[in-house]
Amino acid sequence: MKKLVLPLSLMVPMLVFSQTKKRDTARTTDIEEIVFQKKVTGKTNDLTAVKISAKDAQNVASISGGIEGVIKTLPSVNSNTELSSQYMVRGGNYDENLIYINDIEIYRPFLIRNSQQEGLSIINPDMVSTVNFSAGGFEPKYGDKMSSALNIYYREPEKFELSGEASLIGGRLTAGLASKNKKLTALFSGRYRNTNLVLNTLKEDTNFNPRYFDFQTYLNYHISEKFSLSFIGYYSKNDYEMIPKEQSIDFGSLQRPINLSVFYNGKEDDKYKNMMGTFSMNYKPSDKWKFTLDAFSYQNREREYYTISSSYILQTFDPITGDPTTSYDAGGQIEHARNDLFVRTYGAQFRSRFSPNPNTDIEVGFKYEKENLKDLTNEWKLVDSAGYSLPHEAFVDPRNPGDLKLMYNISGNNHIEPTRMSAYAQYSQKFYWGSSKVFVNAGARVSNWSFNNETIFSPRAQFAIKPDWDSDMLFKLSGGIYYQSPFYKEIKDLDGNFNSNIKSQRSIQAILSNDYEFTMYNRPFKLTTELYYKKMNNLIPYYMDNVRIRYSGQNNATGYAYGIDTRLFGEFVPGVDSWLSASYARVYENIEGKGDIPRPTDQRFRFAMFYQDYMPEFPSMRVNLTLTYAMGLPTGAPVLTDPYTYQRTLPSYKRVDIGLSKVFIDRKDNKKTYGFWGNFEELTLGVQVFNAFNIRNTVANQWITDANTNLMYPVPVRLTGRFFNVKLEFKIK
């Protein structure tokens, strides 16, 4: 079997290949459907959407989750932690991404501080049929966020099915039912995960007990060909308990190695409970009309409780003998939190689509939401260094060290019940312009939030042209005005209070892209190149506390972002899809006119690869590889400090995950099985190697201060090491 070794020079725009017109052919003047993409479940007119295979999402070797694991290999997406399913897109942070399941917006937990607490992603890969992801410039029907939109459509089973997975870190069980006439279909899935074994690779003497469980269901009843009812239900419960004991961290350089030894007392006990239910009515009186009415409710209860005291000693060692030479600091700290959050949203939305002909769509929608937010915050940190609390003022008399001061103290008791209303309208048209195919999608959305009494208007447009060239190319231009409508995290300031004067952040976006499809070695490939620019104002500055975003609660910054994304997609190996991604991105902010500095999500250069292969002589032996290299983020500065004073970039993020599997039974091979094994449609045994090269990546810095010199030492917070996971997958017919 031949494999392709493609030079990096292919990862540039191919805009000048064979731009000669095709020979004239007979054309008809009748209306014909102009197809830019295949028709699949979850039809979208969004030209910026990238379709991701649900099968690839199931195959990828990823700790955080299937769908997000694949999304993180796209050029526009960045993440510096493997334990989190959250991601950053084109300079945006974790909170700037929309997530939909069957066109219903989904919320993530809010109080997650580190990725160990996060648990299972709400998206269950075993239930997915279609994945549409847009990294910006998306159509008006999607909500008010500045970065990306991910829309997942769940599938309907066609017959009885039972599938599952069991591994060292958890398992899942999915059952599907369908009546003989397929009027009634039901899909049930439950998942359990415990990442204790993975977290033990952190090289800490810590007792972890993270338990994550969720259950989802998708029901459909087709009353007639024109009218159907559906229901999506979701329940998840994540418990995270951590009892740290001691930790030893080596950092510094070969000439000056430094060691931090920490001894702990106390524990952390966090609980996250989420529930969601959506009831939908779908009415399609004809091929031209479609109406959908959704009633939804979401409830989230989160509790973050911890009291952890620690004592530490910071010292250097002789690089030759290894004996301690200098002790820089000895001290301790106490971290305390009693944070409770209750979030409930419920409402309804109406959507309609009118298609007078196969090339025209007119869509409108209205949405009403009632929100209930209860926030109780009591969080503080006391730092002691050489007998003095930090921060402290200079003193003269060593017998009077000064007042006891906390490093920070955040407290708040907030309760609001605002309403949010929004509406959108968009028009999509395909037509010929001379001999070129053209697609236009334009519209706008408007929304109002009663908490800050703000109304925003967001016009958006997309344009694409497919010239009648010998080369198969598609040029796209999209953009508009995109707002980041504030919610719980944006309105909460650094003191813990809600700010009713907060306004939506705004981003003016322009994206120019090119798709070039070609054949090499009789296999299909597609090269996508995108250039983008964002001009932003009313920005709310924020700090990244591990994976938590802490906003300042003030619209006192402006900014801009620009970059280039490239992705080469195709069959590097016959029959299976793989891709290479590369990107360069910059994002800056200007806080109160002090000058431009990189935002905490300033990505710079990033390269990723998702590769699938199999043995030619034994096609049941399969492998997939995920590789990521990303330059470090500028999030190494201490939290709640002046970003103009502390500018420090984390080390680059480098990681390789490998999945190996042996397929014992696959009905698609048309091989007969007998007896007990005849009940199986699929049976696969796999081994996953997470962090194959055991690279100790850094997700954040812990800052230790020498009270004698006031020097601050950044101590890296490491991520997981190498871990071998064994999993068994099955499907019963």
Side-chain angles (χ1 to χ4, degrees):
M1 176 190 64
K2 293 183 178 179
K3 297 183 181 179
L4 299 180
V5 181
L6 296 176
L8 291 178
S9 59
L10 282 177
M11 305 295 288
V12 296
M14 296 185 178
L15 307 180
V16 293
F17 284 81
S18 304
Q19 296 183 7
T20 57
K21 290 183 63 176
K22 295 180 179 179
R23 297 174 183 173
D24 292 335
T25 56
R27 298 257 319 269
T28 177
T29 56
D30 297 334
I31 295 177
E32 59 177 299
E33 184 171 6
I34 305 169
V35 179
F36 284 89
Q37 56 195 8
K38 296 179 180 178
K39 290 185 174 181
V40 294
T41 303
K43 176 186 176 183
T44 178
N45 289 319
D46 198 328
L47 277 173
T48 64
V50 176
K51 294 192 180 298
I52 299 173
S53 166
K55 188 65 175 177
D56 291 342
Q58 289 179 322
N59 292 337
V60 65
S62 170
I63 297 178
S64 61
I67 299 297
E68 291 87 353
V70 172
I71 288 176
K72 289 178 182 180
T73 64
L74 300 179
S76 53
V77 182
N78 192 25
S79 175
N80 67 336
T81 171
E82 63 274 0
L83 291 171
S84 175
S85 61
Q86 301 184 86
Y87 48 85
M88 300 165 281
V89 179
R90 290 179 176 170
N93 63 39
Y94 299 132
D95 300 329
E96 297 180 13
N97 305 307
L98 290 162
I99 300 178
Y100 292 85
I101 295 181
N102 287 20
D103 296 308
I104 302 297
E105 186 175 356
I106 304 300
Y107 297 92
R108 293 182 183 270
F110 298 95
L111 294 183
I112 297 295
R113 186 181 71 261
N114 61 63
S115 48
Q116 292 98 306
Q117 302 167 313
E118 189 169 322
L120 292 161
S121 162
I122 191 174
I123 303 169
N124 188 331
D126 206 33
M127 301 177 68
V128 171
S129 68
T130 305
V131 181
N132 294 320
F133 177 77
S134 171
F138 42 84
E139 57 187 341
K141 77 173 185 179
Y142 294 124
D144 296 305
K145 297 281 189 181
M146 292 196 299
S147 288
S148 72
L150 173 65
N151 200 350
I152 306 291
Y153 291 95
Y154 279 177
R155 62 185 177 87
E156 291 188 53
E158 298 182 354
K159 58 180 181 179
F160 170 77
E161 62 179 63
L162 182 65
S163 63
E165 173 188 303
S167 75
L168 297 179
I169 58 176
R172 61 168 172 80
L173 186 65
T174 302
L177 302 170
S179 60
K180 290 184 178 180
N181 55 11
K182 296 184 180 179
K183 278 196 169 185
L184 176 64
T185 64
L187 196 61
F188 307 94
S189 186
R191 294 180 295 172
Y192 173 80
R193 175 171 292 190
N194 189 320
T195 56
N196 184 37
L197 294 176
V198 179
L199 297 180
N200 284 339
T201 66
L202 293 173
K203 290 186 176 181
E204 301 177 9
D205 187 3
T206 302
N207 292 333
F208 292 103
N209 190 20
R211 302 181 303 276
Y212 317 119
F213 167 79
D214 80 347
F215 177 79
Q216 298 189 47
T217 182
Y218 181 41
L219 308 176
N220 282 272
Y221 182 62
H222 300 271
I223 299 175
S224 66
E225 293 183 356
K226 297 181 179 180
F227 188 64
S228 65
L229 306 175
S230 65
F231 173 79
I232 294 179
Y234 171 75
Y235 172 84
S236 75
K237 187 175 184 295
N238 297 343
D239 295 333
Y240 176 75
E241 185 179 74
M242 180 191 69
I243 304 176
K245 296 181 178 180
E246 61 181 86
Q247 183 181 14
S248 179
I249 305 173
D250 295 314
F251 61 103
S253 62
L254 292 175
Q255 292 75 25
R256 191 189 178 196
I258 304 177
N259 174 266
L260 174 71
S261 298
V262 189
F263 303 90
Y264 297 95
N265 186 30
K267 74 172 187 176
E268 179 173 355
D269 187 11
D270 306 325
K271 296 183 183 298
Y272 307 88
K273 186 183 296 183
N274 302 284
M275 292 177 285
M276 182 196 76
T278 300
F279 178 76
S280 301
M281 294 185 292
N282 301 283
Y283 180 54
K284 191 175 181 180
S286 66
D287 291 337
K288 294 184 178 181
W289 288 96
K290 182 180 180 181
F291 304 96
T292 302
L293 179 63
D294 303 306
F296 56 87
S297 178
Y298 172 85
Q299 181 171 296
N300 186 18
R301 283 186 176 273
E302 302 182 30
R303 190 190 81 175
E304 183 184 40
Y305 286 6
Y306 60 82
T307 301
I308 299 175
S309 61
S310 60
S311 58
Y312 64 86
I313 181 170
L314 186 70
Q315 55 188 341
T316 59
F317 292 83
D318 188 293
I320 299 176
T321 64
D323 297 328
T325 57
T326 305
S327 178
Y328 284 103
D329 194 17
Q333 62 185 34
I334 301 175
E335 296 180 87
H336 173 89
R338 293 293 184 269
N339 299 330
D340 290 274
L341 175 65
F342 173 82
V343 179
R344 175 184 292 163
T345 66
Y346 59 89
Q349 67 178 17
F350 173 78
R351 295 172 286 127
S352 66
R353 181 197 295 261
F354 174 57
S355 305
N357 59 65
N359 298 323
T360 305
D361 285 319
I362 301 173
E363 299 177 67
V364 297
F366 308 92
K367 184 178 180 181
Y368 170 85
E369 286 181 278
K370 180 66 175 180
E371 301 165 346
N372 187 352
L373 298 177
K374 295 180 181 179
D375 170 68
L376 296 174
T377 301
N378 181 13
E379 182 178 345
W380 52 264
K381 182 177 181 179
L382 171 66
V383 178
D384 174 273
S385 181
Y388 305 102
S389 63
L390 298 177
H392 74 282
E393 299 176 356
F395 55 89
V396 178
D397 186 356
R399 295 169 298 178
N400 182 19
D403 298 332
L404 176 68
K405 294 184 178 181
L406 297 175
M407 178 65 73
Y408 63 80
N409 181 21
I410 305 173
S411 62
N413 186 350
N414 306 288
H415 183 201
I416 60 173
E417 297 186 64
T419 58
R420 195 185 302 264
M421 293 183 289
S422 61
Y424 72 87
Q426 64 183 48
Y427 174 81
S428 304
Q429 179 70 58
K430 304 172 188 175
F431 58 92
Y432 275 104
W433 184 15
S435 59
S436 301
K437 297 178 181 179
V438 175
F439 179 94
V440 175
N441 182 358
R445 64 179 293 110
V446 61
S447 63
N448 174 270
W449 196 32
S450 63
F451 175 70
N452 59 1
N453 197 28
E454 179 189 33
T455 300
I456 55 178
F457 177 71
S458 175
R460 307 171 186 177
Q462 301 172 345
F463 173 84
I465 183 169
K466 190 177 183 64
D468 190 20
W469 294 345
D470 289 336
S471 297
D472 191 350
M473 287 195 177
L474 178 66
F475 297 89
K476 296 179 287 187
L477 178 64
S478 58
I481 301 176
Y482 293 81
Y483 287 88
Q484 178 79 14
S485 184
F487 197 47
Y488 164 72
K489 296 175 76 172
E490 289 92 341
I491 66 177
K492 188 175 181 179
D493 61 25
L494 296 176
D495 294 325
N497 301 311
F498 286 177
N499 178 13
S500 60
N501 295 319
I502 204 75
K503 299 299 180 184
S504 297
Q505 303 175 87
R506 188 175 71 169
S507 169
I508 302 175
Q509 302 182 12
I511 301 102
L512 176 65
S513 62
N514 167 253
D515 292 344
Y516 173 47
E517 298 188 30
F518 59 97
T519 301
M520 185 182 296
Y521 292 92
N522 295 321
R523 281 172 256 160
F525 288 88
K526 179 179 179 180
L527 177 66
T528 299
T529 305
E530 294 187 313
L531 295 166
Y532 65 89
Y533 179 81
K534 300 180 184 180
K535 180 67 175 178
M536 299 173 286
N537 56 16
N538 282 342
L539 291 181
I540 308 173
Y542 59 86
Y543 301 92
M544 288 189 67
D545 182 7
N546 203 310
V547 298
R548 176 182 294 180
I549 308 297
R550 292 184 180 268
Y551 291 90
S552 67
Q554 303 292 328
N555 299 99
N556 60 347
T558 60
Y560 63 93
Y562 63 88
I564 179 171
D565 299 331
T566 59
R567 179 176 181 243
L568 181 61
F569 172 92
E571 296 185 9
F572 291 76
V573 177
V576 291
D577 294 330
S578 303
W579 57 84
L580 302 172
S581 300
S583 63
Y584 181 78
R586 300 305 308 264
V587 55
Y588 294 93
E589 65 182 350
N590 187 336
I591 304 174
E592 296 181 344
K594 296 179 181 178
D596 293 338
I597 58 172
R599 298 204 89 188
T601 50
D602 184 39
Q603 173 183 316
R604 297 180 293 162
F605 178 73
R606 185 176 186 274
F607 176 82
M609 177 175 66
F610 176 67
Y611 177 78
Q612 300 185 92
D613 200 354
Y614 56 86
M615 295 181 65
E617 301 298 328
F618 304 98
S620 62
M621 300 291 294
R622 303 172 184 175
V623 61
N624 68 80
L625 180 147
T626 305
L627 179 149
T628 303
Y629 169 82
M631 299 184 73
L633 297 175
T635 57
V639 177
L640 307 180
T641 57
D642 185 355
Y644 286 89
T645 303
Y646 294 96
Q647 284 288 312
R648 191 177 185 91
T649 302
L650 295 175
S652 298
Y653 181 82
K654 302 175 284 290
R655 187 177 176 90
V656 175
D657 296 320
I658 302 173
L660 306 168
S661 63
K662 163 64 177 176
V663 180
F664 292 97
I665 300 175
D666 190 345
R667 290 295 180 183
K668 297 177 183 178
D669 296 337
N670 296 319
K671 294 181 180 179
K672 293 184 178 181
T673 54
Y674 302 94
F676 172 77
W677 304 111
N679 297 316
F680 288 85
E681 189 168 339
E682 296 179 10
L683 183 64
T684 303
L685 179 65
V687 175
Q688 296 174 317
V689 186
F690 298 127
N691 195 2
F693 295 107
N694 200 31
I695 300 171
R696 311 299 298 190
N697 289 301
T698 301
V699 68
N701 280 331
Q702 177 185 4
W703 290 82
I704 302 297
T705 303
D706 182 356
N708 298 319
T709 63
N710 285 328
L711 291 176
M712 299 182 71
Y713 295 92
V715 182
V717 179
R718 307 290 191 190
L719 287 166
T720 59
R722 184 190 294 117
F723 179 75
F724 292 88
N725 184 39
V726 179
K727 70 173 184 176
L728 177 68
E729 297 177 284
F730 69 89
K731 187 173 184 180
I732 298 176
K733 61 180 180 179

